[in-house]
Amino acid sequence: MILNSAAINFVIPIGVCNCLLAQLDLDFNRIAPSIPYILGGIWITLKFTLLSAIFGFIWGTVLSLFKISSIKPLYWFGMAYTSVFRGTPLLVTLSKIYFDTPQLTGYEISGFQAGVITFSLNSGAYISEVIRAGIMAVDKGQTEAAMSLGVSYKPMMLDVILPQAIKNILPALVNESIALLKDSALVSTIGATDLLRRAQIVGAEKYVYFEPLLIVAVVYYLMVMSLTLSANLLETQLRKSS
Amino acid sequence: MQEKGAIAIKIDRLYKSFGSLKVLRAISTEIAKGEVVALIGPSGCGKSTFLRCLNLLETPTSGKIYINGQEITDSKTDVNKIRQNVGMVFQHFHLFPHMNVLKNIMYAPVKVNNLSKPEARSLAMDLLQKVDLVDKADVFPSKLSGGQKQRVAIARSLAMQPDIMLFDEPTSALDPEMVKEVLDVMQAVSESGMTMAVVTHEMGFAKEVADRIFFLDGGEIAEDSPPDVFFSHPKSARAQKFLAKIL
């Protein structure tokens, strides 16, 4: 009796699996000619991520300095800015910038430009919080030592405080670029032909969605993993050096 | 180095409060060029705050401070210009951890005084010679002992070629066996004619090297006398009580 029920338990899952697989009917041959086209989106996605990460980092640094500034209007601006960008969905910001820019300025903004601008502005808000925390965590004595040598604010920040702050917040910065990489899929909604958009185009052409989207999911995962791994390597290196 | 007798630091009714806490009350004094002043007193008496007012790391609440005749408490003064002339050494060294010893010393001369890299390097090597750390030029601060760190910090300050050096408890964070190497360097600096103000708990150093002792208590200079007088016949009752506790 006991044996019997064990056998049933074992058989049923296999039966369910077979049944699912039969319905799935995976066949990558149908989209094989389109795979290079889909993978071509990797470059577009990476370009989005890289440009937005660079601009976002620069803008985030500036914003973080606003937020620790003793000049009140700059401080308020930094705080209000972060609040707005953290409090609105990225997809909304993206659509606003893409659809409003032509109306406001007459300039026909491309999906690519709108994407880079949105992601830079958005990640600037998040990165500024990270950098601000990093700056606050640097020993106050470092500022005092630099000041007592007569070093003025700008070189003090650039040469003494920020290098130490950024070393501490490197893991958080990598997390932010991973978020950027994944969020970049949103540009598919405004017509930029990134990885996701290309998979959708192929799917619409061939009436198959499972395979192209699976490919895209795997590619995103691999990209994120390689970012994570290289960040871990970098962190161990940095820890060794300090 | 400089003519003795001229006034290096003049302080006129200096007050400093943190909120309702009055830390310094009406301090007025003068320090001559080349003079070494030791500031001693019970903890919380305002020694460090007094010292930090002299290079405006603390902004005085009221009162005037003149350095080499220039009023530094004037809002129009370029604070960085003043600080280039007033070096400071901290209890916890505050070396730049991401720069090696040589870069720590070269940084301010290159950035602030616009020295060329080779000029700054030879200046830094000379100073390392003086503090006996030439072999540590390429080492990062984390690899140094406390005494070595403090000697590098002194060299870093001297690299700006200041007229005045402030020391804020320079040996308080050191293991006992490292105190002497730092005090020796400080003594050498004082012998070069440097004007110095030293907050210290090293009574031996105060006795031997200082020209004057300021005994601070309750935010005031309770006593200002030469070391031999101060340590043998303190005038004020508060100083007598303090000395009875520590000696």
Side-chain angles (χ1 to χ4, degrees):
Chain A
M1 195 61 204
I2 292 165
L3 247 177
N4 207 355
S5 75
I8 290 169
N9 276 344
F10 187 68
V11 168
I12 287 177
I14 289 179
V16 170
C17 276
N18 277 340
C19 174
L20 270 179
L21 276 176
Q23 288 200 347
L24 248 179
D25 190 19
L26 273 183
D27 182 4
F28 285 93
N29 283 332
R30 279 181 295 185
I31 59 154
S34 308
I35 287 177
Y37 172 71
I38 296 177
L39 294 184
I42 293 177
W43 171 234
I44 311 274
T45 293
L46 283 180
K47 225 163 46 171
F48 262 113
T49 311
L50 195 68
L51 283 175
S52 313
I54 292 170
F55 290 134
F57 178 72
I58 296 170
W59 179 224
T61 309
V62 173
L63 278 175
S64 70
L65 294 178
F66 282 9
K67 286 190 207 167
I68 57 169
S69 168
S70 53
I71 305 166
K72 282 290 160 203
L74 289 183
Y75 170 81
W76 288 324
F77 174 78
M79 286 308 191
Y81 180 93
T82 309
S83 166
V84 167
F85 274 86
R86 291 218 286 198
T88 47
L90 190 47
L91 190 51
V92 173
T93 327
L94 182 65
S95 313
K96 286 305 275 177
I97 287 182
Y98 182 61
F99 294 112
D100 291 2
T101 306
Q103 196 176 337
L104 289 176
T105 66
Y107 175 71
E108 284 295 331
I109 195 165
S110 73
F112 184 78
Q113 290 165 331
V116 169
I117 290 173
T118 309
F119 294 143
S120 304
L121 293 178
N122 187 70
S123 76
Y126 284 88
I127 288 177
S128 72
E129 275 302 296
V130 174
I131 296 179
R132 187 180 73 99
I135 291 174
M136 307 288 261
V138 175
D139 183 1
K140 205 165 166 281
Q142 292 291 310
T143 317
E144 291 187 348
M147 289 194 323
S148 77
L149 289 165
V151 179
S152 53
Y153 183 79
K154 199 175 140 195
M156 173 178 87
M157 275 296 163
L158 287 178
D159 305 327
V160 178
I161 306 300
L162 281 174
Q164 296 182 56
I166 284 164
K167 193 171 160 184
N168 293 336
I169 58 173
L170 207 66
L173 287 180
V174 173
N175 280 341
E176 180 55 31
S177 40
I178 288 174
L180 258 178
L181 177 67
K182 292 192 289 181
D183 288 344
S184 74
L186 289 174
V187 293
S188 61
T189 62
I190 56 167
T193 48
D194 71 326
L195 260 175
L196 177 60
R197 180 81 190 129
R198 286 177 186 224
Q200 288 167 335
I201 291 172
V202 170
E205 251 174 33
K206 311 263 160 115
Y207 296 107
V208 276
Y209 281 95
F210 199 102
E211 290 90 342
L213 287 175
L214 183 63
I215 291 174
V216 161
V218 170
V219 169
Y220 274 118
Y221 183 73
L222 290 178
M223 289 199 289
V224 169
M225 276 305 112
S226 50
L227 251 179
T228 312
L229 285 178
S230 47
N232 288 347
L233 269 177
L234 191 63
E235 225 190 309
T236 14
Q237 285 297 320
L238 280 175
R239 204 167 297 150
K240 253 187 237 159
S241 80
S242 65
Chain B
M1 198 185 224
Q2 296 147 338
E3 51 170 322
K4 288 236 173 187
I7 299 300
I9 306 172
K10 181 171 185 283
I11 298 149
D12 187 15
R13 296 190 64 74
L14 173 68
Y15 282 86
K16 174 68 185 175
S17 313
F18 294 107
S20 62
L21 182 72
K22 292 193 175 73
V23 182
L24 299 177
R25 305 157 195 251
I27 289 188
S28 297
T29 189
E30 285 176 357
I31 297 173
K33 282 191 176 159
E35 227 174 6
V36 177
V37 176
L39 292 102
I40 62 178
S43 66
C45 68
K47 302 174 298 244
S48 286
T49 307
F50 175 61
L51 200 71
R52 290 161 59 85
C53 281
L54 297 182
N55 67 349
L56 298 178
L57 281 185
E58 301 289 354
T59 315
T61 307
S62 70
K64 286 178 180 163
I65 301 172
Y66 301 84
I67 293 210
N68 295 331
Q70 190 190 357
E71 188 193 334
I72 65 168
T73 35
D74 186 356
S75 59
K76 274 171 264 160
T77 335
D78 181 353
V79 181
N80 289 321
K81 270 268 172 314
I82 299 296
R83 287 178 182 148
Q84 289 160 30
N85 208 19
V86 183
M88 187 165 206
V89 173
F90 301 86
Q91 181 178 358
H92 295 289
F93 333 122
H94 301 324
L95 295 178
F96 305 133
H98 57 302
M99 302 180 191
N100 67 21
V101 165
L102 195 62
K103 293 237 172 71
N104 259 283
I105 302 175
M106 287 168 59
Y107 175 67
V110 170
K111 270 289 152 165
V112 181
N113 283 352
N114 296 319
L115 253 60
S116 71
K117 286 244 167 90
E119 282 173 321
R121 183 183 300 271
S122 75
L123 172 69
M125 290 311 286
D126 283 351
L127 287 164
L128 281 176
Q129 187 99 49
K130 277 192 187 139
V131 299
D132 198 21
L133 284 172
V134 175
D135 53 327
K136 300 287 182 193
D138 299 322
V139 169
F140 278 85
S142 56
K143 297 269 180 280
L144 299 176
S145 73
Q148 291 170 333
K149 281 182 196 170
Q150 197 59 298
R151 285 187 278 153
V152 172
I154 293 172
R156 176 177 69 175
S157 240
L158 289 174
M160 289 300 289
Q161 294 168 320
D163 292 335
I164 298 166
M165 284 282 283
L166 310 173
F167 295 82
D168 192 359
E169 304 199 19
T171 57
S172 297
L174 299 179
D175 290 340
E177 75 268 25
M178 290 166 184
V179 169
K180 190 170 179 298
E181 63 188 51
V182 172
L183 292 181
D184 286 348
V185 167
M186 288 168 60
Q187 181 156 16
V189 173
S190 78
E191 279 159 8
S192 74
M194 181 72 71
T195 310
M196 287 164 56
V198 186
V199 172
T200 186
H201 299 295
E202 295 294 330
M203 295 306 148
F205 176 82
K207 213 180 262 182
E208 253 175 65
V209 181
D211 301 309
R212 279 161 83 190
I213 307 280
F214 286 2
F215 175 74
L216 270 80
D217 191 28
E220 296 162 323
I221 299 182
E223 190 153 342
D224 169 6
S225 22
D228 46 342
V229 175
F230 179 79
F231 286 105
S232 52
H233 310 290
K235 281 172 275 181
S236 69
R238 285 185 288 186
Q240 286 163 9
K241 229 170 113 191
F242 175 75
L243 287 171
K245 265 186 216 161
I246 58 154
L247 292 181

